[in-house]
Amino acid sequence: MDDITYPISGACQCGGVTYELLGPPSMVVACHCRECQKLSTSAFSITAMVSAESVRFRGLMKDWSRVADSGNVSAAKFCPTCGNRIYHYDPNEPDKLKLKPSNLSDTRLIQPTAHVWVSEKQDWFQLPAGVKTFERQP
């Protein structure tokens, strides 16, 4: 992935929210929890862990949140027009963002370095060899 050039642009489906990712994520995670399955309408959700200062957002975003199994608040920012999730975050750690990278113009960085909540993964999905796995949240 050394050939990826930053910044990388991203946008929701309708283009109402745009952003630039200024540098590589610290890690990319595939989450298999039931809540992420609902979010993605698939077997898992992909998240790129980035610092808030490594992303520049433009456009109006709405907020949504829920209490996670840990007791922490899992908050999300999304486009109010098309509904695309842009990122998740813990309000107690606003400088750490969980970017939803499928809406980047260059998606080559979407290569999970870890799979979490594999205790809830769909039976048909085979975990790739050599990638870190965690039964729940590490």
Side-chain angles (χ1 to χ4, degrees):
M1 296 216 296
D2 293 335
D3 60 336
I4 294 176
T5 304
Y6 294 88
I8 301 173
S9 61
C12 64
Q13 283 184 295
C14 73
V17 176
T18 61
Y19 65 92
E20 287 183 313
L21 178 60
L22 306 176
S26 59
M27 70 185 317
V28 178
V29 177
C31 182
H32 297 264
C33 78
R34 297 284 188 240
E35 293 300 319
C36 280
Q37 290 177 31
K38 289 177 188 178
L39 165 67
S40 67
T41 68
S42 188
F44 54 85
S45 176
I46 300 286
T47 298
M49 310 301 262
V50 300
S51 67
E53 59 191 33
S54 71
V55 189
R56 286 191 291 238
F57 297 102
R58 288 181 284 297
L60 175 68
M61 289 187 271
K62 289 249 190 177
D63 296 280
W64 180 82
S65 65
R66 68 175 178 85
V67 177
D69 287 347
S70 65
N72 294 332
V73 173
S74 177
K77 293 282 191 176
F78 65 95
C79 174
T81 302
C82 68
N84 271 162
R85 293 277 176 99
I86 306 300
Y87 67 90
H88 289 197
Y89 66 100
D90 178 340
N92 293 320
E93 297 184 287
D95 54 327
K96 296 179 181 178
L97 304 184
K98 301 166 188 169
L99 190 68
K100 305 314 270 177
S102 296
N103 51 28
L104 288 168
S105 59
D106 185 345
T107 56
R108 290 179 292 163
L109 69 83
I110 304 176
Q111 296 180 31
T113 53
H115 287 255
V116 300
W117 282 96
V118 297
S119 60
E120 295 185 359
K121 81 171 190 60
Q122 293 295 314
D123 289 338
W124 57 264
F125 182 77
Q126 299 298 309
L127 292 166
V131 177
K132 290 182 205 169
T133 61
F134 300 90
E135 287 296 304
R136 297 176 59 99
Q137 193 70 28

